[in-house]
Amino acid sequence: MPEYPIILGVYSLAMQTDLGVGDTAGKHQSLTYWYARQLDAERFEVQPLNVHHVPSGVKKELPVKDFLTQYVPEPRYYKLHTVPALETLAKKLEQGEQAFSLGNLDEAERQFVKALMIDDLNVTATYGVGKVASEKKDYVKLKKVLGTLLHLDEAFSREYREQFNSFGITLRKNKNYDEALAFYGRALELSANDDHVHFNMARAYYEKNTVDACIKHLNLALSIRPDFVEARKFLDYVMKHMGSATA
């Protein structure tokens, strides 16, 4: 059995449009290029390539028939343009993450910005710039990054769960509690039954001394996953702490 999704490469889509009227009427054919993946036996996914030849923008799902009848493989284009561009992009992201892990924030930001110059909608690079802004306490830039992420549904998908969690932890660690709560709230809009998001919201509320909301989200996390050990321990701690605080 194949492991999905399968990267198929670059495909072209020919579009024909009518130009002019009467004697000047004619047809014009344009060619656009798309990055294609097979999601399962019945579904395909295409994403447009930007001017730098990397997939960027809104993804579109297609049934088998539509994909096979409308899209034409472009292996030469993929090899000559998209593969090198993707390798450069991946290198910038890797260098950014490495610099961030070493505490070299200026270099990390530089690499993430270079990645965004290749793909201005790149989720990982956007998260990277946000983490740097949070660490630097650059609230103007952080607010801008949050505005971008909150409008990118893809940023909260399972594919980006590691970056999502890392960014949320960075926000909370740097006492950006309101920003963290807005971030987690957007995630719950897209996936209301994510026990880890409820747990992380509880931690942010606790740091804000908003205990009732903390308990609410811990109970929601446990209702979704009753064997969530960390959530159970945290709830027990909060309840015990409340008891001693009111004694």
Side-chain angles (χ1 to χ4, degrees), residues 11-219:
Y11 283 63
S12 62
L13 175 65
M15 298 289 290
Q16 200 169 67
T17 55
D18 295 324
L19 297 176
V21 293
D23 294 339
T24 63
K27 294 186 179 296
H28 172 73
Q29 181 168 290
S30 61
L31 206 63
T32 55
Y33 293 92
W34 302 73
Y35 188 75
R37 300 195 306 171
Q38 185 173 0
L39 301 178
D40 56 37
E42 302 296 329
R43 296 179 304 135
F44 291 78
E45 176 189 84
V46 293
Q47 186 177 18
L49 299 187
N50 66 14
V51 295
H52 300 291
H53 314 294
V54 300
S56 181
V58 178
K59 297 176 181 178
K60 180 170 63 174
E61 284 191 21
L62 297 168
V64 175
K65 181 180 178 182
D66 289 353
F67 179 75
L68 294 180
T69 57
Q70 297 175 20
Y71 290 80
V72 177
E74 300 283 354
R76 180 174 172 79
Y77 186 105
Y78 180 59
K79 182 178 179 180
L80 290 180
H81 300 293
T82 300
V83 169
L86 287 174
E87 288 175 346
T88 299
L89 177 60
K91 184 177 181 180
K92 301 302 179 190
L93 294 173
E94 182 181 357
Q95 290 173 335
E97 293 291 354
Q98 184 177 25
F100 183 81
S101 68
L102 295 174
N104 190 344
L105 299 181
D106 290 337
E107 178 62 18
E109 183 174 21
R110 187 158 38 249
Q111 296 301 330
F112 288 133
V113 169
K114 285 182 178 180
L116 287 171
M117 291 173 68
I118 300 172
D119 175 12
D120 63 341
L121 295 177
N122 187 272
V123 174
T124 300
T126 304
Y127 272 135
V129 172
K131 289 192 298 183
V132 171
S134 180
E135 290 285 353
K136 287 185 171 182
K137 304 192 185 310
D138 185 341
Y139 298 113
V140 173
K141 187 172 292 183
L142 180 60
K143 184 176 180 181
K144 183 178 179 181
V145 171
L146 276 169
T148 300
L149 288 171
L150 293 176
H151 288 88
L152 286 176
D153 290 357
E154 188 179 9
F156 301 94
S157 67
R158 187 166 295 277
E159 184 176 352
Y160 292 98
R161 192 181 186 99
E162 183 177 345
Q163 290 95 330
F164 165 86
N165 286 328
S166 177
F167 183 60
I169 290 169
T170 300
L171 287 174
R172 183 172 52 79
K173 183 181 71 175
N174 288 298
K175 303 184 187 301
N176 299 311
Y177 304 129
D178 290 335
E179 290 81 1
L181 290 169
F183 183 67
Y184 289 131
R186 177 66 174 132
L188 288 177
E189 287 179 17
L190 299 170
S191 181
N193 291 323
D194 191 317
D195 52 301
H196 275 88
V197 173
H198 283 294
F199 178 73
N200 286 325
M201 284 197 83
R203 295 187 68 175
Y205 274 122
Y206 182 79
E207 296 290 348
K208 281 194 68 176
N209 293 315
T210 310
V211 179
D212 288 345
C214 169
I215 292 172
K216 171 188 172 183
H217 282 282
L218 286 174
N219 281 320

